[in-house]
Amino acid sequence: MQVKEHNSIFGMLYDIPKLLTIPEEDLHQQCRALETVLTHDDMRNIDASDLGDELTALSRYISGGSTPKAVLEYMCTNKMTTLFPNAFVALRILLTLPVTAASGERSFSKLQLIKTHPRSTM
């Protein structure tokens, strides 16, 4: 469930070169959704309309199959962070979010602890 929600919000940032092929209105809609998630009270981390334009321009520089980390490294290496400030912030947030399904893993690790106690006392 969390992974699907994460993908619906940040999915466009995983394949930036592909953004040239989607309709501009769809891109701006996804950017508005991201802006809404990254807004607290009156403080916004990104501007949706600027982010859409930045991602369109940035996608021309990035080769296909580039990961978000590779895009961020490319931006830092080529000193493009001030050219694309909203994309820079969005990528940094994406790459620092912990996305995992640890609850299932935790239940299995607890099960192993429970099973080993009776075995060791027999």
Side-chain angles (χ1 to χ4, degrees):
M1 182 69 176
Q2 288 177 337
V3 176
K4 284 184 181 180
E5 184 178 339
H6 171 82
N7 191 36
S8 69
I9 296 168
F10 289 98
M12 65 183 169
L13 297 175
Y14 282 104
D15 194 5
I16 291 178
K18 184 182 172 188
L19 296 178
L20 288 173
T21 62
I22 67 171
E24 189 174 333
E25 183 55 40
D26 290 346
L27 174 62
H28 285 288
Q29 181 180 359
Q30 291 176 353
C31 291
R32 283 190 297 273
L34 182 60
E35 179 188 44
T36 303
V37 170
L38 299 179
T39 300
H40 179 70
D41 293 334
D42 291 335
M43 297 172 45
R44 298 181 303 167
N45 286 321
I46 61 168
D47 181 68
S49 61
D50 290 345
L51 177 63
D53 296 337
E54 289 176 17
L55 289 175
T56 303
L58 183 61
S59 63
R60 292 184 177 99
Y61 294 101
I62 306 300
S63 61
S66 295
T67 63
K69 182 182 177 200
V71 173
L72 191 62
E73 287 172 349
Y74 177 82
M75 288 174 67
C76 291
T77 303
N78 295 306
K79 298 178 178 29
M80 301 172 100
T81 57
T82 55
L83 291 173
F84 306 112
N86 292 292
F88 181 63
V89 169
L91 285 168
R92 283 191 345 213
I93 291 172
L94 168 69
L95 292 171
T96 56
L97 283 177
V99 179
T100 182
S103 60
E105 296 170 14
R106 209 173 305 123
S107 66
F108 281 113
S109 66
K110 292 294 180 190
L111 181 63
Q112 288 177 343
L113 291 174
I114 294 168
K115 287 174 72 176
T116 56
H117 178 68
R119 287 181 185 160
S120 63
T121 57
M122 290 179 89

